[in-house]
Amino acid sequence: MKINKTLIAVIAAIVIIGAWAASAYNSMVQVQESTTTALANVQSTYQRRADLIPNLVETVKGYAAHEKQTLEDVVAARSKATAINLDPTNMTPEKLKEFQQAQGELGSALGRLIAIQENYPDLKANENFRDLQVQLEGTENRINEARNKYNEAVQQYNVVVRSFPKNILAGMFGFSQMTKFEAEAGAEKAPQVKF
């Protein structure tokens, strides 16, 4: 009789620990999936910007043909930015930095392209150009929002996989911390505007 009570207590403890481990594992999977979805949304938003660029470049070409270098820089930056894909299964801080740098170069090239409009009043008045510019501005806001949501998801995920006792299970099952998007180097300095 005593052996049965001990055996029942051991089995009950194993069942309770097993149920807790399964619940903890499932919660880590859930926050990981939320984070990878947020990352996919960031990439989708960046892709939207990349998809708008050819139309913008073609519109500018008609008005500013001799701005060839700027147009080539935009096309090259777009190509570089779309060649880098983030994969949640092998995303490292270095890979994220490379992605951010390529997106930053594209943003900078786009800024130079948009600045061309000041020299071309006809381009400035062109309805297609204005529409594309408005879409790009909206997309930049979406990119910022998507990055913020991704960072919030990463924070939740990192808290779950780093908190005791789930950190033990996280290590056993390969759940490691994820990296957040950070501001580009020099972003803390306000740009100087000169006329």
Side-chain angles (χ1 to χ4, degrees):
M1 202 63 154
K2 203 172 200 183
I3 294 175
N4 288 342
K5 287 182 181 181
T6 305
L7 182 60
I8 291 172
V10 169
I11 291 173
I14 290 172
V15 168
I16 290 170
I17 291 171
W20 171 81
S23 175
Y25 178 85
N26 290 338
S27 70
M28 287 186 285
V29 168
Q30 183 179 12
V31 293
Q32 184 182 48
E33 284 301 314
S34 295
T35 305
T36 57
T37 298
L39 178 61
N41 291 341
V42 170
Q43 290 179 297
S44 174
T45 308
Y46 275 123
Q47 185 62 50
R48 182 179 193 278
R49 177 175 71 175
D51 292 345
L52 289 170
I53 291 170
N55 294 328
L56 188 66
V57 168
E58 287 303 314
T59 303
V60 173
K61 270 185 188 178
Y63 289 91
H66 66 279
E67 299 283 358
K68 186 177 180 186
Q69 186 61 48
T70 302
L71 296 172
E72 288 174 359
D73 289 349
V74 170
V75 171
R78 177 189 181 273
S79 177
K80 183 178 178 183
T82 57
I84 300 171
N85 288 319
L86 295 178
D87 181 2
T89 61
N90 66 359
M91 187 166 60
T92 62
E94 295 80 23
K95 186 82 170 168
L96 186 60
K97 186 176 182 179
E98 179 185 1
F99 179 79
Q100 283 185 262
Q101 184 177 2
Q103 293 299 335
E105 290 172 15
L106 179 56
S108 177
L110 270 175
R112 290 190 302 275
L113 180 65
I114 297 298
I116 288 175
Q117 71 162 330
E118 297 300 322
N119 298 327
Y120 299 92
D122 291 341
L123 174 60
K124 199 181 210 179
N126 180 283
E127 191 175 318
N128 288 340
F129 182 81
R130 283 185 311 195
D131 289 348
L132 288 166
Q133 189 176 4
V134 167
Q135 287 184 44
L136 277 172
E137 288 169 0
T139 299
E140 292 300 324
N141 290 335
R142 288 178 183 170
I143 288 169
N144 186 51
E145 186 63 28
R147 287 173 54 152
N148 287 341
K149 286 181 180 178
Y150 171 75
N151 283 347
E152 289 170 7
V154 168
Q155 179 181 356
Q156 288 177 326
Y157 172 80
N158 287 345
V159 166
V160 169
V161 299
R162 291 180 60 209
S163 297
F164 182 79
K166 286 185 182 177
N167 63 339
I168 297 168
L169 289 176
M172 289 172 37
F173 291 114
F175 290 96
S176 58
Q177 287 187 49
M178 292 183 154
T179 305
K180 295 179 183 177
F181 277 101
E182 296 177 0
E184 294 177 37
E188 69 281 358
K189 298 176 187 166
Q192 291 185 345
V193 179
K194 295 180 182 177
F195 294 101

